[in-house]
Amino acid sequence: MSGQNSFGNRGNRDASVVNTRGMGTIDGTRRSGPVGEGRAGDPFLIGEGMTGGYGKGADILHDCTISVEKGQIAVIVGPNGAGKSTAMKAIFGMLNLRQGSVRLNGRDITALNPQDRVKAGMGFVPQVNNIFPSMTVEENLEMGAFIRNDDIRQTMQQVYDLFPAVAEKRKQAAGELSGGQRQQVAVGRALMTQPQVLMLDEPTAGVSPIVMDELFDRIIAIARGGLPVLMVEQNAQQAMNIADKAYVLVQGANAHTGTGKELMANDEVRRTFLGG
Amino acid sequence: MDILNALVVFLNFVFIPAAAYGAQLALGALGVTLIYGILRFSNFAHGDTMAFGTALVILVTWGLQALGVGFGPLPTALIALPIGIALTSLMVLGTDRVVYRFYRRQKAAPIILVMASVGVMFVMNGLTRLVIGVDEIRFDDGERFIVTVRDFKAMTGLDEGLALRSTQALTLVVAFAVMIALFWFLNRTKSGKAMRAYSDNEDLALLSGIDPERVVRQVWIIAAALATIAGTLYGLDKSFKAFNYFQILLPIFAAAIVGGLGSPLGAIAGGFLVAFSEVAITYPWLKIAGYVAPWYEPGGLMQLLGTEYKFAVSFVILIVVLLFRPTGLFRGKSV
Amino acid sequence: MASNRQSTASASPWRAPVLFGILAILFVLEGTVRNDLFSGSWNTSLAILNMGLISAITALGVNMQWGYAGLFNVGVVGFLAMGALAPVLVSLPPVEGAWQAGGPRLILSLLAGLGVLALARLVWGRTRKGWAVALVLLAGFFLFRSLFDPAVLAIEGNNPARHGNIGGLGLPVLLSWLVGGVFAAAAAWAIGKVALGLRSDYLAIATLGIGEIIVAVMKNEDWLARGVKNITAIPRPVAYEVDLQQNPDFVAFAQGWGFSATEASGIWVKLSYMSLFLVVLLVLILLAELALKSPWGRMMRAIRDNETAARAMGKNVTRRHLQVFVLGSAVIGIAGAMMVTLDGLVAPTGYNPLRYTFLIWVMVIVGGSGNNWGAVLGSVLIWFLWIKAEVWGPAAIAALTGPLSDGPLKEHLLDSSPHMRFIAMGAVLLAVLRFAPRGLLPEK
């Protein structure tokens, strides 16, 4: 979508000249703007009134607001193509916001690029391609802690304690692990920055139900430890069960907002998204 | 005794030249493979970057020689090398700033970078010609031999002599040191790991707080250093001729692909494999056969292919490896 | 892709005629105006044009591969060289005694070589054992050399000062153009079969390699085309200047136009060549355009634009790619044969990849990937610039260094100013990639 393909698909099949594996979609050359003041009474993290889309394309989000408080879990649910992941990416600075702002911990970070948002305390786990496949588990975690200059061993031990299954495989290439273990590595990598807020884009996509339950348990544990968690979920039912706050998006706009329990009780939400 | 003589001939005409050539190819292929792995395209300008870097080293060498600066038994070019690397890095970084960054920012398909590298190749080729001309230049000074044929014969009493040129030894020592340093950098340092992370998954590297532009700058500097070192060693060993550096592109690419594009270890293995095959297949084995099997009279030179076809060798190895192991000897990034 | 800023610019139907008009003006200026920039000689102007047309045919071949199928061929020089062999083997007069010396044996050895390769393939297919194939190939190699070497020695020993080559068949040179296409197509088939069938393509490196190898063969196999000793006097399909100058009718005709007989004869010959080349070029473009509009062409484009979907629909993508690669290479081969016919000589040392592979690529990209008329425009324009850069470069350097005092630096710069053409070509390519990546005449 982004990027200028002047030659169409020409030449991109020839492995002796081009390497399309691991290619990025985010413009890493963009520079950050200034950090502004937050507003009084803000939640810990809030993306407020966000309107925008990818590059110069049409708007995908329309006046969308998402927030999360300290120690809470907020989930974003909604039908396919509702802009759930896009809202997440907007908060992380990966698309052009035409209106709205993103504020974290009393600061306005709307003008920051994604790299600097990481430094500002945000941790993000993308839905796919969320590990470094040819690097070992340990190296994946080290890369998570790239911006830190202090001793990371303690944090690494915490991650291993949280995910004992991957601790055993710390010297193995992450790409060789099973789907569930990869997700654990991915979450672990994001935790290594010691973020102030953790954002997960469909962490349970493509993993078996047992693994999914286990992952949810871990996520709850993380949130109860004081780290606010914002996540997009496809499995609306389970997600709402654990959510302190839930957002239902439809066509890039807020349709319903409330605690998980409130929304579960809401007839319309149940009919349209929870299948009765 | 005959076996020893055969061994000496083998070392003198096959093993030592091939090892030196292999080291040069490996250094070149490392540059190509790093750019392929991290910047995601095959840099057609790499051969000309080698030529350009070497031309700068030669110019600095001349300057030093004019000032009366020497390096004792070692070639003066060795002192000039760091300056050459610095200048080439600046040139390459400038190229990135002017040419490649534009497409990176657009997240353009890598093929356009390949095309752009062809343009850069033309410019670099022209610049090299402009700076130093098209003639053959020898810039090797200092001691020419570590072991001469005569000394060796006197020392061992064998019929066959062994010569070890100082440039060959230098090539091996420098190449070995550079490779160790590179592997240490890639596997042990934070910047090196960040580079591998960027190669694996650009977006996630960014989301881990790795500055992509910094990685790109580092890659270019390393590639420029590798190209200049490889070019200078090649030039010291053989001689400098701008066009040869263009031609060496094929064996370098072949080495990088045979080893597995994107795999540094593969590039080194590929470099030596290509070099040893090239030398072994184009070497007339008659003399060695004469020692090993004196009863056998082949009635020819026992040369499998004429030296003119040495490029064919790297090509055939390439095809064979690709047919049986498409990802290269070491699993590269290409599939 | 649709939001590409060039898409609006390409909408103008006048774009192509205007650009071709400008190109024509350049050539007219070259033919008529004599100053620092132009030579004012029709002979020069037409000579540039003729070579430009041959480049255009080459670029057309490359554009078929790149534009229709997205194949990146960096062995253009090899396919040109392959085509260049055809006039030598087809239209040169037979060399006395060469065939008797070793002809049949040579053919036998080449057949044996092919047989060995076929056998190796068969063995691989049956046994899947690498060592068995290696054994077959090794034994086959020695068999081949034992047949081939004496034949070559005998042929090269035949009157080596004048000939030493196998000689031609004495057939019309125009026929050899077609044969040139066939030669290049055969080479392309062999290389494409290997490089296109893998999980992903390795065509770029494979063509880079085969290009070097073909040129190496041409340089070193003296029996084929006398190697670096060059072949001269390839028969012409048009009149010879000397004959024209001795023809009183022609002399009178030339004087009627105000030209000397020498000049007019040169122009006449070049015009004849130009007409021939134009006919070939137009026929090829016509065929290419017809092919592109046929179901086959639509399928090619579908494959190029979405290979996965095409594959899912049961299209054999590899096979189509191979087809178009062979066809494009055949066109390049035809151009190669035409080129040596125009030059009248085969000089293998001149086959430099920078000039014959990468410059052609500059032409294709500048002209417009996927647009046949773009390829023609780009080729003739770039060729014109390439030739004129040799004149303009020194002029520019002289102007730039004018204020500089005479000294070694100025002298060095002036001496090496012809190399400016490389920098100029690189700059043109980079500028086009940056500001008009779809080329001067973008694909519709």
Side-chain angles (χ1 to χ4, degrees):
Chain A
M1 190 182 311
S2 64
Q4 172 211 39
N5 277 340
S6 323
F7 295 149
N9 263 337
R10 291 189 185 102
N12 284 330
R13 192 175 188 270
D14 198 324
S16 63
V17 286
V18 298
N19 168 18
T20 46
R21 277 186 149 193
M23 248 188 88
T25 52
I26 314 169
D27 174 15
T29 61
R30 207 185 92 208
R31 292 196 189 280
S32 291
V35 175
E37 285 285 305
R39 292 179 203 167
D42 263 352
F44 188 71
L45 168 70
I46 178 162
E48 191 172 43
M50 300 182 293
T51 301
Y54 294 100
K56 287 176 184 134
D59 284 353
I60 299 172
L61 295 180
H62 306 282
D63 194 22
C64 174
T65 298
I66 308 279
S67 71
V68 60
E69 287 288 359
K70 265 211 150 132
Q72 288 196 339
I73 298 178
V75 300
I76 309 175
V77 294
N80 280 332
K84 303 186 295 280
S85 294
T86 311
M88 193 79 120
K89 287 178 180 167
I91 295 175
F92 214 83
M94 288 189 247
L95 76 167
N96 288 342
L97 279 192
R98 275 179 268 284
Q99 275 167 43
S101 65
V102 180
R103 300 190 296 279
L104 172 73
N105 199 11
R107 294 187 303 161
D108 187 330
I109 56 166
T110 316
L112 291 185
N113 64 19
Q115 302 97 296
D116 287 335
R117 285 181 206 226
V118 176
K119 289 176 191 148
M122 296 170 86
F124 183 56
V125 181
Q127 180 181 350
V128 287
N129 300 328
N130 49 19
I131 52 162
F132 301 112
S134 81
M135 303 178 85
T136 64
V137 170
E138 192 156 292
E139 282 173 331
N140 266 272
L141 297 185
E142 277 177 47
M143 284 300 104
F146 184 80
I147 56 170
R148 290 174 55 187
N149 289 316
D150 52 338
D151 192 358
I152 60 169
R153 271 175 297 184
Q154 204 189 345
T155 326
M156 199 177 273
Q157 195 50 52
Q158 285 168 357
V159 170
Y160 286 145
D161 290 343
L162 193 64
F163 301 118
V166 298
E168 292 164 19
K169 309 202 165 171
R170 62 183 80 185
K171 295 285 174 205
Q172 245 186 49
E176 295 167 2
L177 303 185
S178 71
Q181 287 167 345
R182 285 180 190 213
Q183 287 308 66
Q184 295 181 357
V185 173
V187 175
R189 183 205 59 81
L191 288 174
M192 287 300 292
T193 27
Q194 290 187 319
Q196 296 170 349
V197 57
L198 182 63
M199 297 167 58
L200 307 165
D201 191 354
E202 302 207 16
T204 61
V207 302
S208 69
I210 300 171
V211 176
M212 184 165 79
D213 287 343
E214 199 188 316
L215 260 175
F216 274 136
D217 285 348
R218 300 288 157 229
I219 291 167
I220 295 170
I222 292 168
R224 296 300 167 252
L227 180 63
V229 175
L230 174 64
M231 65 176 182
V232 168
E233 248 316 320
Q234 194 69 254
N235 303 293
Q237 188 109 35
Q238 263 117 327
M240 287 198 196
N241 274 331
I242 65 166
D244 297 301
K245 195 160 195 187
Y247 296 87
V248 177
L249 295 195
V250 175
Q251 294 190 337
N254 293 78
H256 306 275
T257 306
T259 64
K261 289 200 177 62
E262 279 166 18
L263 290 188
M264 297 265 272
N266 182 321
D267 273 350
E268 197 189 336
V269 174
R270 279 171 57 141
R271 215 178 36 247
T272 36
F273 305 115
L274 303 178
Chain B
M1 206 63 174
D2 278 354
I3 294 292
L4 276 182
N5 273 319
L7 186 69
V8 168
V9 175
F10 172 75
L11 285 175
N12 195 24
F13 291 103
V14 180
F15 189 82
I16 295 175
Y21 180 46
Q24 292 147 11
L25 284 186
L27 287 178
L30 273 174
V32 166
T33 226
L34 278 180
I35 293 184
Y36 180 89
I38 298 163
L39 302 177
R40 301 176 203 287
F41 72 99
S42 289
N43 184 11
F44 277 87
H46 199 77
D48 284 300
T49 311
M50 282 169 67
F52 184 77
T54 313
L56 291 178
V57 169
I58 293 175
L59 288 182
V60 177
T61 305
W62 286 345
L64 288 171
Q65 283 168 343
L67 291 173
V69 180
F71 203 10
L74 294 169
T76 316
L78 225 49
I79 312 178
L81 192 57
I83 309 172
I85 290 176
L87 293 174
T88 313
S89 302
L90 282 180
M91 171 75 185
V92 166
L93 286 175
T95 314
D96 181 70
R97 177 72 187 70
V98 177
V99 179
Y100 299 113
R101 199 180 73 160
F102 174 77
Y103 305 105
R104 200 161 54 240
R105 179 174 280 169
Q106 292 190 323
K107 297 281 157 203
I111 187 73
I112 200 161
L113 296 174
V114 179
M115 293 292 176
S117 82
V118 171
V120 172
M121 175 181 84
F122 268 102
V123 174
M124 283 246 192
N125 195 294
L127 279 179
T128 311
R129 288 159 183 256
L130 207 62
V131 167
I132 210 157
V134 290
D135 300 328
E136 188 161 338
I137 298 167
R138 293 216 61 106
F139 59 104
D140 175 24
D141 55 5
E143 205 68 53
R144 281 187 60 80
F145 288 98
I146 291 178
V147 182
T148 62
V149 171
R150 200 192 312 157
D151 290 348
F152 184 84
K153 281 185 185 168
M155 217 156 58
T156 58
L158 289 170
D159 292 341
E160 293 295 336
L162 180 79
L164 180 61
R165 290 215 313 276
S166 44
T167 52
Q168 291 169 328
L170 191 69
T171 297
L172 288 170
V173 171
V174 172
F176 190 66
V178 167
M179 288 172 199
I180 297 279
L182 184 69
F183 277 93
W184 175 79
F185 174 78
L186 285 176
N187 291 315
R188 290 281 179 273
T189 67
K190 209 165 156 183
S191 297
K193 286 180 188 174
M195 214 172 254
R196 283 165 54 214
Y198 180 86
S199 161
D200 254 15
N201 189 336
E202 243 175 86
D203 280 351
L204 195 65
L206 188 98
L207 295 180
S208 304
I210 296 168
D211 179 5
E213 288 303 290
R214 198 180 129 95
V215 169
V216 170
R217 275 197 301 276
Q218 285 171 344
V219 174
W220 278 122
I221 292 173
I222 292 176
L226 286 170
T228 311
I229 294 170
T232 304
L233 292 176
Y234 184 75
L236 282 173
D237 192 20
K238 312 262 183 345
S239 70
F240 175 81
K241 194 157 183 272
F243 185 65
N244 287 349
Y245 284 78
F246 178 75
Q247 282 205 315
I248 205 178
L249 201 61
L250 175 65
I252 282 182
F253 270 5
I257 294 179
V258 162
L261 267 170
S263 156
L265 207 57
I268 294 171
F272 283 105
L273 179 66
V274 166
F276 272 93
S277 325
E278 239 181 53
V279 175
I281 289 179
T282 56
Y283 175 72
W285 291 88
L286 181 64
K287 205 171 185 182
I288 293 180
Y291 282 115
V292 177
W295 64 88
Y296 178 63
E297 296 203 6
L301 286 173
M302 296 185 68
Q303 184 182 18
L304 287 173
L305 272 180
T307 42
E308 312 83 30
Y309 291 121
K310 60 180 183 200
F311 290 120
V313 178
S314 41
F315 181 72
V316 171
I317 296 173
L318 178 82
I319 294 292
V320 170
V321 169
L322 287 185
L323 281 178
F324 295 104
R325 212 182 148 82
T327 49
L329 297 177
F330 293 79
R331 201 167 50 174
K333 301 275 175 195
S334 64
V335 170
Chain C
M1 265 176 271
S3 64
N4 193 300
R5 66 196 128 131
Q6 262 198 288
S7 50
T8 43
S10 66
S12 166
W14 292 104
R15 193 180 172 90
V18 165
L19 286 171
F20 272 103
I22 293 173
L23 194 59
I25 292 170
L26 278 177
F27 278 93
V28 171
L29 284 174
E30 177 71 23
T32 54
V33 180
R34 189 183 188 87
N35 58 16
D36 280 353
L37 294 182
F38 300 108
S39 67
S41 149
W42 276 110
N43 264 313
T44 314
S45 179
L46 288 173
I48 301 177
L49 180 62
N50 279 341
M51 201 57 206
L53 289 174
I54 289 179
S55 305
I57 295 173
T58 318
L60 205 61
V62 174
N63 192 41
M64 286 166 88
Q65 300 170 340
W66 171 246
Y68 292 9
L71 302 174
F72 190 54
N73 176 358
V74 265
V76 179
V77 64
F79 298 108
L80 279 173
M82 209 68 200
L85 285 177
V88 177
L89 297 179
V90 171
S91 57
L92 274 188
V95 169
E96 211 170 303
W99 182 254
Q100 289 78 1
R105 200 164 177 180
L106 186 77
I107 300 282
L108 182 70
S109 72
L110 293 179
L111 286 178
L114 286 178
V116 168
L117 288 181
L119 185 68
R121 201 189 144 85
L122 195 74
V123 168
W124 174 248
R126 288 275 168 82
T127 64
R128 295 268 150 196
K129 286 198 174 64
W131 59 266
V133 176
L135 206 67
V136 168
L137 285 177
L138 200 68
F141 180 76
F142 286 110
L143 172 74
F144 169 72
R145 287 288 295 264
S146 68
L147 288 168
F148 179 76
D149 290 2
V152 164
L153 273 179
I155 292 170
E156 288 177 358
N158 174 40
N159 195 0
R162 283 200 59 214
H163 296 296
N165 63 329
I166 183 82
L169 300 171
L171 296 170
V173 73
L174 286 181
L175 178 72
S176 76
W177 293 3
L178 271 182
V179 178
V182 173
F183 280 4
W189 181 82
I191 193 67
K193 198 81 185 143
V194 175
L196 287 172
L198 306 159
R199 251 190 296 174
S200 44
D201 292 349
Y202 285 86
L203 195 67
I205 183 69
T207 48
L208 189 72
I210 202 75
E212 292 276 357
I213 290 172
I214 293 174
V215 173
V217 167
M218 213 163 137
K219 278 183 189 160
N220 298 303
E221 299 301 316
D222 287 6
W223 60 271
L224 200 59
R226 300 197 75 217
V228 288
K229 288 181 279 186
N230 298 357
I231 291 249
T232 50
I234 289 179
R236 274 190 183 179
V238 300
Y240 284 82
E241 283 92 343
V242 192
D243 299 339
L244 288 173
Q245 285 159 21
Q246 281 163 2
N247 181 343
D249 290 343
F250 181 80
V251 174
F253 169 75
Q255 275 156 0
W257 283 83
F259 286 111
S260 72
T262 330
E263 201 184 352
S265 61
I267 295 177
W268 178 265
V269 169
K270 292 189 176 79
L271 280 175
S272 325
Y273 269 124
M274 188 189 81
S275 323
L276 269 175
F277 294 166
L278 273 177
V279 168
V280 175
L281 180 66
L282 291 175
V283 166
L284 285 174
I285 289 191
L286 183 73
L287 290 175
E289 291 284 323
L290 283 178
L292 197 61
K293 292 200 170 64
S294 70
W296 180 84
R298 278 199 298 276
M299 179 168 60
M300 285 310 309
R301 274 180 296 169
I303 289 175
R304 189 195 68 202
D305 294 338
N306 193 341
E307 197 181 305
T308 323
R311 220 183 267 279
M313 280 158 62
K315 305 292 180 204
N316 189 338
V317 174
T318 309
R319 211 182 141 82
R320 300 293 152 224
H321 279 170
L322 187 60
Q323 270 177 357
V324 85
F325 181 62
V326 167
L327 284 176
S329 299
V331 172
I332 301 173
I334 293 175
M338 291 165 69
M339 194 164 71
V340 293
T341 314
L342 175 69
D343 291 343
L345 110 159
V346 181
T349 43
Y351 284 82
N352 175 349
L354 213 54
R355 153 73 184 87
Y356 288 108
T357 297
F358 292 103
L359 194 65
I360 299 290
W361 269 101
V362 177
M363 295 170 175
V364 172
I365 300 294
V366 167
S369 321
N371 187 328
N372 289 328
W373 290 108
V376 176
L377 178 81
S379 309
V380 182
L381 179 68
I382 289 295
W383 182 248
F384 186 82
L385 292 178
W386 176 257
I387 294 293
K388 295 309 286 185
E390 211 171 22
V391 184
W392 294 346
I397 292 269
L400 282 175
T401 56
L404 231 69
S405 59
D406 287 348
L409 179 66
K410 182 171 178 177
E411 205 173 300
H412 174 80
L413 282 176
L414 279 173
D415 276 352
S416 41
S417 53
H419 305 313
M420 288 296 287
R421 50 153 66 156
F422 293 95
I423 300 178
M425 282 309 125
V428 166
L429 178 62
L430 290 174
V432 166
L433 281 175
R434 179 75 165 256
F435 300 109
R438 277 148 50 84
L440 293 177
L441 293 181
E443 188 187 17
K444 282 169 211 77

